[in-house]
Amino acid sequence: MPSVKRQAAEVIAREHHLSIQRACRIVGLSRTAFYRVPRSSAARDAAVISVLNGMVAKRPRWGFWKCFDRMRIEGHPWNHKRVHRVYCALRLNLPRRTKRRLPTRQPLPLEAPSELNRIWSLDFMHDTLYDGRRFRTLNVLDDGNRQALGIEVATSIPSQRAIRVMNQLIELHGKPDALRLDNGTELTSHAFVEWAKEQGIELRFIEPGKPNQNAFIERFNKTYRTEVLNAYVFESIEQVQVSVAPYDVRQGNFIGAAVNTVTRSGTNQFTASVYHRLRTQDYVGTEKVHTDDSGRPFSAVVTERGDGTNDVAVLAPTATASLRS
């Protein structure tokens, strides 16, 4: 190495009183290399390091060849061997985990509106079935009366499905003025944000790591977790969907939660308050016309079972749904 040979030539010239020319000839070092001022690799490659760091900061997922091609487009003259040496020295060739960057959220007061359909709260929950399969729930709450408007249950709830659920709830209950929600990827996606903009609905995102700013739905989630998800063992998604309807605990604010009952020919949607009304003994054995919370008529039959429970058969024009209480 030139640095070692330079030190050897200095020792020979000093101790044996030889000229620099002869000392360099003995160790096999040119006088140009001997007199050249040594520079550290960091100082020598400072320009390459600066350009590489700038590119990686803007494009964290770019690899070596994308960075090198961009350097050539920008007119930098370094060859690929030098750039790759610096790239490895900076340890940019190792897998990098990038932190998910969230925009700064302004803290908003937790309002309790005195009217319905002013502010809805949204939040996700997750649990597992008996066989280990995971599922999620999307809970929607009206902050005006703490009423659960909908609980969507599925193995996956992407942004498009969340939009479909919101459209169904708006058709049933009307459009809210604002939505209070966290910073999940489904709710911060471009599709959901554009949908809210088209609907004229304000999105009130809470600060990351501050679930207390969405306290109404968090309180609802606690009750739903302890009274339903942790209280029963579910073997299928359909059982989780059906379990919401007969849950009649007014303290838990489940009255009015929209439930989907899957049938052979389609899906009927009604509310837990209607289901509770149909379960009363006054309707056993009779077919009567009832109205749901939106005032729409439907026909239902309640039959008594031998084990002390009731079956509610909701008769729709296109499908018949049966739900055991």
PDB file of all heavy atoms in Angstrom, residues 32 40 77 80 125 159 161 181 185 195 209 211 240 246 279:
ATOM      1  N   THR A  32       6.249  10.779  -6.942  1.00  0.00           N
ATOM      2  CA  THR A  32       4.969  11.494  -7.000  1.00  0.00           C
ATOM      3  C   THR A  32       4.036  11.004  -5.898  1.00  0.00           C
ATOM      4  O   THR A  32       3.389  11.793  -5.196  1.00  0.00           O
ATOM      5  CB  THR A  32       4.315  11.299  -8.368  1.00  0.00           C
ATOM      6  OG1 THR A  32       5.209  11.749  -9.395  1.00  0.00           O
ATOM      7  CG2 THR A  32       3.007  12.068  -8.454  1.00  0.00           C
ATOM      8  N   SER A  40      -8.209  11.138   3.287  1.00  0.00           N
ATOM      9  CA  SER A  40      -9.100  10.071   3.735  1.00  0.00           C
ATOM     10  C   SER A  40     -10.115   9.739   2.653  1.00  0.00           C
ATOM     11  O   SER A  40     -10.422  10.567   1.785  1.00  0.00           O
ATOM     12  CB  SER A  40      -9.817  10.478   5.022  1.00  0.00           C
ATOM     13  OG  SER A  40     -10.662  11.592   4.772  1.00  0.00           O
ATOM     14  N   PRO A  77     -19.677  12.167 -13.481  1.00  0.00           N
ATOM     15  CA  PRO A  77     -18.753  11.371 -14.303  1.00  0.00           C
ATOM     16  C   PRO A  77     -18.254  10.089 -13.638  1.00  0.00           C
ATOM     17  O   PRO A  77     -17.486   9.345 -14.252  1.00  0.00           O
ATOM     18  CB  PRO A  77     -17.583  12.338 -14.529  1.00  0.00           C
ATOM     19  CG  PRO A  77     -17.551  13.158 -13.285  1.00  0.00           C
ATOM     20  CD  PRO A  77     -18.982  13.295 -12.825  1.00  0.00           C
ATOM     21  N   HIS A  80     -19.184   3.090 -12.385  1.00  0.00           N
ATOM     22  CA  HIS A  80     -20.016   2.279 -11.502  1.00  0.00           C
ATOM     23  C   HIS A  80     -19.211   1.604 -10.397  1.00  0.00           C
ATOM     24  O   HIS A  80     -19.738   1.336  -9.313  1.00  0.00           O
ATOM     25  CB  HIS A  80     -20.775   1.226 -12.316  1.00  0.00           C
ATOM     26  CG  HIS A  80     -19.903   0.158 -12.882  1.00  0.00           C
ATOM     27  ND1 HIS A  80     -19.152   0.324 -14.033  1.00  0.00           N
ATOM     28  CD2 HIS A  80     -19.650  -1.096 -12.444  1.00  0.00           C
ATOM     29  CE1 HIS A  80     -18.479  -0.783 -14.287  1.00  0.00           C
ATOM     30  NE2 HIS A  80     -18.772  -1.667 -13.347  1.00  0.00           N
ATOM     31  N   MET A 125     -61.311  -3.146  14.598  1.00  0.00           N
ATOM     32  CA  MET A 125     -60.927  -4.105  15.617  1.00  0.00           C
ATOM     33  C   MET A 125     -60.549  -5.407  14.915  1.00  0.00           C
ATOM     34  O   MET A 125     -60.882  -5.613  13.739  1.00  0.00           O
ATOM     35  CB  MET A 125     -62.073  -4.360  16.610  1.00  0.00           C
ATOM     36  CG  MET A 125     -62.505  -3.154  17.399  1.00  0.00           C
ATOM     37  SD  MET A 125     -63.852  -3.531  18.551  1.00  0.00           S
ATOM     38  CE  MET A 125     -63.016  -4.665  19.669  1.00  0.00           C
ATOM     39  N   SER A 159     -60.049  -0.263   1.654  1.00  0.00           N
ATOM     40  CA  SER A 159     -60.693   1.049   1.565  1.00  0.00           C
ATOM     41  C   SER A 159     -61.967   1.008   0.726  1.00  0.00           C
ATOM     42  O   SER A 159     -62.948   1.678   1.060  1.00  0.00           O
ATOM     43  CB  SER A 159     -59.705   2.059   0.982  1.00  0.00           C
ATOM     44  OG  SER A 159     -59.272   1.651  -0.308  1.00  0.00           O
ATOM     45  N   ARG A 161     -64.073  -1.439   0.383  1.00  0.00           N
ATOM     46  CA  ARG A 161     -65.160  -2.029   1.170  1.00  0.00           C
ATOM     47  C   ARG A 161     -65.638  -1.050   2.240  1.00  0.00           C
ATOM     48  O   ARG A 161     -66.836  -0.975   2.535  1.00  0.00           O
ATOM     49  CB  ARG A 161     -64.710  -3.337   1.802  1.00  0.00           C
ATOM     50  CG  ARG A 161     -65.805  -4.035   2.582  1.00  0.00           C
ATOM     51  CD  ARG A 161     -65.540  -5.493   2.770  1.00  0.00           C
ATOM     52  NE  ARG A 161     -66.656  -6.186   3.362  1.00  0.00           N
ATOM     53  CZ  ARG A 161     -66.763  -7.505   3.445  1.00  0.00           C
ATOM     54  NH1 ARG A 161     -65.818  -8.275   2.928  1.00  0.00           N
ATOM     55  NH2 ARG A 161     -67.815  -8.067   4.013  1.00  0.00           N
ATOM     56  N   LEU A 181     -61.793   9.702  12.860  1.00  0.00           N
ATOM     57  CA  LEU A 181     -61.153   8.437  12.564  1.00  0.00           C
ATOM     58  C   LEU A 181     -59.662   8.521  12.830  1.00  0.00           C
ATOM     59  O   LEU A 181     -59.101   9.607  13.005  1.00  0.00           O
ATOM     60  CB  LEU A 181     -61.421   8.027  11.119  1.00  0.00           C
ATOM     61  CG  LEU A 181     -61.000   8.951   9.968  1.00  0.00           C
ATOM     62  CD1 LEU A 181     -61.199   8.239   8.653  1.00  0.00           C
ATOM     63  CD2 LEU A 181     -61.802  10.231   9.898  1.00  0.00           C
ATOM     64  N   THR A 185     -54.320   2.789   7.281  1.00  0.00           N
ATOM     65  CA  THR A 185     -54.080   2.887   5.838  1.00  0.00           C
ATOM     66  C   THR A 185     -55.373   2.863   5.039  1.00  0.00           C
ATOM     67  O   THR A 185     -55.456   3.485   3.973  1.00  0.00           O
ATOM     68  CB  THR A 185     -53.174   1.739   5.387  1.00  0.00           C
ATOM     69  OG1 THR A 185     -53.761   0.473   5.780  1.00  0.00           O
ATOM     70  CG2 THR A 185     -51.794   1.852   6.029  1.00  0.00           C
ATOM     71  N   TRP A 195     -63.431  10.003  -1.799  1.00  0.00           N
ATOM     72  CA  TRP A 195     -64.860   9.738  -1.593  1.00  0.00           C
ATOM     73  C   TRP A 195     -65.454  10.742  -0.598  1.00  0.00           C
ATOM     74  O   TRP A 195     -66.545  11.280  -0.826  1.00  0.00           O
ATOM     75  CB  TRP A 195     -65.040   8.313  -1.069  1.00  0.00           C
ATOM     76  CG  TRP A 195     -66.435   8.032  -0.592  1.00  0.00           C
ATOM     77  CD1 TRP A 195     -67.507   7.667  -1.342  1.00  0.00           C
ATOM     78  CD2 TRP A 195     -66.901   8.132   0.765  1.00  0.00           C
ATOM     79  NE1 TRP A 195     -68.622   7.531  -0.530  1.00  0.00           N
ATOM     80  CE2 TRP A 195     -68.271   7.804   0.762  1.00  0.00           C
ATOM     81  CE3 TRP A 195     -66.290   8.461   1.973  1.00  0.00           C
ATOM     82  CZ2 TRP A 195     -69.040   7.796   1.923  1.00  0.00           C
ATOM     83  CZ3 TRP A 195     -67.042   8.457   3.130  1.00  0.00           C
ATOM     84  CH2 TRP A 195     -68.400   8.126   3.100  1.00  0.00           C
ATOM     85  N   GLY A 209     -51.151   7.792  17.826  1.00  0.00           N
ATOM     86  CA  GLY A 209     -50.856   7.383  19.190  1.00  0.00           C
ATOM     87  C   GLY A 209     -51.717   8.047  20.241  1.00  0.00           C
ATOM     88  O   GLY A 209     -51.385   7.983  21.427  1.00  0.00           O
ATOM     89  N   PRO A 211     -55.383   7.567  20.998  1.00  0.00           N
ATOM     90  CA  PRO A 211     -56.755   7.036  20.845  1.00  0.00           C
ATOM     91  C   PRO A 211     -57.767   7.720  21.735  1.00  0.00           C
ATOM     92  O   PRO A 211     -58.970   7.634  21.480  1.00  0.00           O
ATOM     93  CB  PRO A 211     -56.586   5.554  21.231  1.00  0.00           C
ATOM     94  CG  PRO A 211     -55.389   5.517  22.118  1.00  0.00           C
ATOM     95  CD  PRO A 211     -54.470   6.582  21.591  1.00  0.00           C
ATOM     96  N   VAL A 240     -69.988 -14.598  13.620  1.00  0.00           N
ATOM     97  CA  VAL A 240     -69.659 -13.285  14.178  1.00  0.00           C
ATOM     98  C   VAL A 240     -70.682 -12.250  13.730  1.00  0.00           C
ATOM     99  O   VAL A 240     -71.138 -11.414  14.519  1.00  0.00           O
ATOM    100  CB  VAL A 240     -68.237 -12.863  13.764  1.00  0.00           C
ATOM    101  CG1 VAL A 240     -67.859 -11.542  14.433  1.00  0.00           C
ATOM    102  CG2 VAL A 240     -67.226 -13.929  14.124  1.00  0.00           C
ATOM    103  N   PRO A 246     -78.646 -10.292  18.162  1.00  0.00           N
ATOM    104  CA  PRO A 246     -79.388 -10.535  19.395  1.00  0.00           C
ATOM    105  C   PRO A 246     -78.743  -9.946  20.634  1.00  0.00           C
ATOM    106  O   PRO A 246     -79.249 -10.120  21.727  1.00  0.00           O
ATOM    107  CB  PRO A 246     -79.393 -12.068  19.490  1.00  0.00           C
ATOM    108  CG  PRO A 246     -78.132 -12.478  18.841  1.00  0.00           C
ATOM    109  CD  PRO A 246     -77.930 -11.497  17.725  1.00  0.00           C
ATOM    110  N   ARG A 279     -88.412 -10.221  18.944  1.00  0.00           N
ATOM    111  CA  ARG A 279     -88.218 -11.366  19.826  1.00  0.00           C
ATOM    112  C   ARG A 279     -89.252 -11.428  20.948  1.00  0.00           C
ATOM    113  O   ARG A 279     -89.335 -12.423  21.657  1.00  0.00           O
ATOM    114  CB  ARG A 279     -86.820 -11.308  20.454  1.00  0.00           C
ATOM    115  CG  ARG A 279     -85.688 -11.626  19.487  1.00  0.00           C
ATOM    116  CD  ARG A 279     -84.372 -11.565  20.205  1.00  0.00           C
ATOM    117  NE  ARG A 279     -84.338 -12.522  21.302  1.00  0.00           N
ATOM    118  CZ  ARG A 279     -83.538 -12.427  22.362  1.00  0.00           C
ATOM    119  NH1 ARG A 279     -82.749 -11.386  22.477  1.00  0.00           N
ATOM    120  NH2 ARG A 279     -83.541 -13.345  23.305  1.00  0.00           N
TER     121      ARG A 279
END
